[in-house]
Amino acid sequence: MKMTSTRRRRPNSVPNPPRFLRPLSALLTAQFFSAFADNMILFITVAIINTRGLPDYYLPLVQGAFLFAYVVLAPWVGSFADRNAKSQVLLIGNVIKMAGIGLLLAGMNPAFSYAVVGVGAVIYSPAKYGILPEMSDGEEELLRANSKIESFTILAILTGSVAGGILSDRSIPLSLIACAVLYGLSMALVLFIPRKHGNRQITYGRAVSEFFSDISTLWGIPSCRFSLLGTGAFWFSSAVLRLVIIAWIPVTLGITSNRDVSLIVSVTAVGIVAGSLITPRLIRFQDYPKCRWYGLSMVAMILTFTFIHSLYATAAALLLIGFLGGIFIVPMNTVLQHRGHETIGTGKTVSIQNFVENLLMFSGVTVLTIATKKQIPATIMITTTAFVMAGFISYLFMVKETNSTESVLPD
């Protein structure tokens, strides 16, 4: 009797494609190029602000415009990702990001142009994470896929930030063209990801009410509440600290080159990559609550910045903060996607996660903009950020552990 494989062929897949063009590899590489360009833009924008002589508070203002898109569009992008093929949504997101690059090349206001890039990013994000459960067999494979995509993303943050700092010091137009090329490469790789049709029954008419209903659903699940608050706390602190450190380095270390500042800041990304890669060896899917100890250690390291005055100590602290942060965030992403896939859908889950994270980041960056205008010292802003994150993590210790009382694994 001839045996047949129980594994289904993925729709629209290319028979025996090269390893780097297989679905997950194509997704990871596409995400790398897209995130690489995203992070180049931040340091290119820093160069534009310096070239035009705009005030110091303009950098957090520009970052706030980017984050605002995530907050405003959150009720619709999750439904959009679940209604359509997620590979198609990835393409649309990159097209809009390229439009933002075109606006910067045309000399438009950097805050408005960066906001357009933010629109593309908020559309792209639910599909990027939401497609992972479709490409994974079981929760452990999903954890590994999350670890890989988080590592590729942070590696892109590292290299993209450095490239943005180096290229923008030489030529702002050239660096913007390089971003457009990278988005184009990302779009080409997306074509090798199987196109799985979405749920066409999803509509947008009640998107806002359904969005907040979905928030209520996730919030009622302890593991999801844990993950939403935990990842929100991580990205809140990361967004604020990144901008504060960019301003802190010239004052404390006397380093003013855009290239050198980007190199120092990017050390954090090296640590996050290492932490993300090692996470599956340290924390099992069922034991995700252990990640909060790494978050608490991250807070302790942030507080050391009040005592740092040397380049090597700065680099070491940023590296360790990133390492601890990588271990902190990966398990929470995995649990949230798994539970969201079982309940409201992965696209909606990721859009809610983006909403919570970016609402917190937007709030933090807004306060930072005001603090910068009032010339509050960077060390005070760093300390305040650490204590706010400590408050979130303290709450995580009070959230009921769900690995024994809540079914986060399939029966």
Side-chain angles (χ1 to χ4, degrees):
M1 180 176 174
K2 185 178 179 181
M3 298 297 292
T4 57
S5 173
T6 58
R7 188 178 181 88
R8 293 181 301 171
R9 176 178 288 184
R10 299 184 187 277
N12 300 335
S13 60
V14 179
N16 300 317
R19 181 176 293 275
F20 73 95
L21 291 180
R22 292 175 185 174
L24 183 58
S25 297
L27 174 65
L28 293 173
T29 311
Q31 165 59 12
F32 175 82
F33 285 141
S34 187
F36 188 103
D38 290 349
N39 287 276
M40 280 185 68
I41 298 172
L42 177 62
F43 283 92
I44 295 169
T45 305
V46 171
I48 292 172
I49 290 171
N50 293 336
T51 301
R52 297 185 185 179
L54 296 171
D56 292 340
Y57 66 83
Y58 215 84
L59 177 58
L61 179 66
V62 166
Q63 185 69 42
F66 178 88
L67 297 173
F68 187 66
Y70 275 87
V71 176
V72 173
L73 296 179
W76 292 276
V77 292
S79 297
F80 183 71
D82 285 336
R83 177 180 167 83
N84 299 282
K86 291 180 177 60
S87 56
Q88 182 181 20
V89 176
L90 293 174
L91 288 171
I92 294 171
N94 276 331
V95 168
I96 296 174
K97 291 179 186 181
M98 289 184 72
I101 295 294
L103 292 173
L104 286 170
L105 277 168
M108 295 290 289
N109 181 283
F112 175 76
S113 303
Y114 204 34
V116 173
V117 176
V119 172
V122 71
I123 290 173
Y124 185 96
S125 185
K128 171 186 71 178
Y129 285 110
I131 201 171
L132 289 180
E134 298 177 4
M135 304 172 71
S136 304
D137 293 326
E139 68 279 348
E140 294 301 332
E141 187 173 324
L142 178 59
L143 177 63
R144 289 192 293 271
N146 263 284
S147 175
K148 288 178 182 178
I149 200 165
E150 204 68 42
S151 300
F152 271 69
T153 300
I154 302 303
L155 182 61
I157 292 173
L158 164 66
T159 51
S161 298
V162 173
I166 293 173
L167 287 179
S168 62
D169 275 348
R170 297 185 178 182
S171 170
I172 291 175
L174 177 62
S175 59
L176 289 171
I177 291 171
C179 286
V181 170
L182 287 167
Y183 286 135
L185 289 172
S186 178
M187 292 166 65
L189 284 163
V190 167
L191 298 177
F192 291 92
I193 299 174
R195 182 173 178 175
K196 183 176 180 180
H197 296 295
N199 182 359
R200 303 302 293 181
Q201 294 181 345
I202 295 174
T203 61
Y204 306 112
R206 300 179 57 194
V208 175
S209 61
E210 289 178 356
F211 178 74
F212 286 102
S213 175
D214 290 337
I215 290 179
S216 179
T217 298
L218 289 183
W219 195 258
I221 303 171
S223 61
C224 292
R225 183 165 66 251
F226 182 100
S227 299
L228 286 170
L229 288 174
T231 57
F234 173 83
W235 288 112
F236 159 83
S237 63
S238 296
V240 175
L241 284 174
R242 189 181 197 188
L243 298 178
V244 173
I245 295 299
I246 288 173
W248 177 86
I249 288 172
V251 174
T252 306
L253 304 181
I255 297 172
T256 57
S257 165
N258 200 27
R259 179 199 64 184
D260 294 341
V261 171
S262 67
L263 282 168
I264 296 168
V265 172
S266 298
V267 170
T268 310
V270 176
I272 297 178
V273 170
S276 298
L277 287 173
I278 203 172
T279 298
R281 296 178 179 272
L282 298 177
I283 301 177
R284 296 188 307 160
F285 181 86
Q286 300 95 323
D287 299 327
Y288 71 90
K290 291 181 180 179
C291 70
R292 57 196 171 190
W293 289 104
Y294 293 93
L296 201 59
S297 301
M298 180 181 169
V299 170
M301 284 306 306
I302 292 172
L303 289 171
T304 63
F305 268 93
T306 56
F307 307 103
I308 291 176
H309 296 91
S310 73
L311 173 60
Y312 292 115
T314 299
L318 289 174
L319 184 67
L320 189 52
I321 288 171
F323 179 77
L324 295 167
I327 302 172
F328 177 60
I329 195 170
V330 168
M332 291 183 291
N333 277 339
T334 306
V335 169
L336 186 60
Q337 288 166 29
H338 184 84
R339 290 294 284 153
H341 184 64
E342 293 179 333
T343 52
I344 64 172
T346 49
K348 290 183 178 181
T349 300
V350 175
S351 69
I352 289 171
Q353 183 181 17
N354 284 338
F355 174 77
V356 173
E357 291 173 359
N358 287 280
L359 182 61
L360 288 172
M361 286 193 285
F362 179 74
S363 300
V365 169
T366 299
V367 172
L368 177 61
T369 303
I370 297 170
T372 304
K373 289 187 73 173
K374 293 183 177 295
Q375 298 182 330
I376 294 175
T379 51
I380 293 179
M381 290 186 276
I382 291 171
T383 303
T384 302
T385 302
F387 279 114
V388 171
M389 185 175 180
F392 278 105
I393 295 175
S394 297
Y395 179 79
L396 295 185
F397 276 93
M398 293 187 289
V399 174
K400 188 176 183 182
E401 291 192 20
T402 61
N403 52 339
S404 59
T405 61
E406 174 193 334
S407 177
V408 295
L409 296 174
D411 295 333

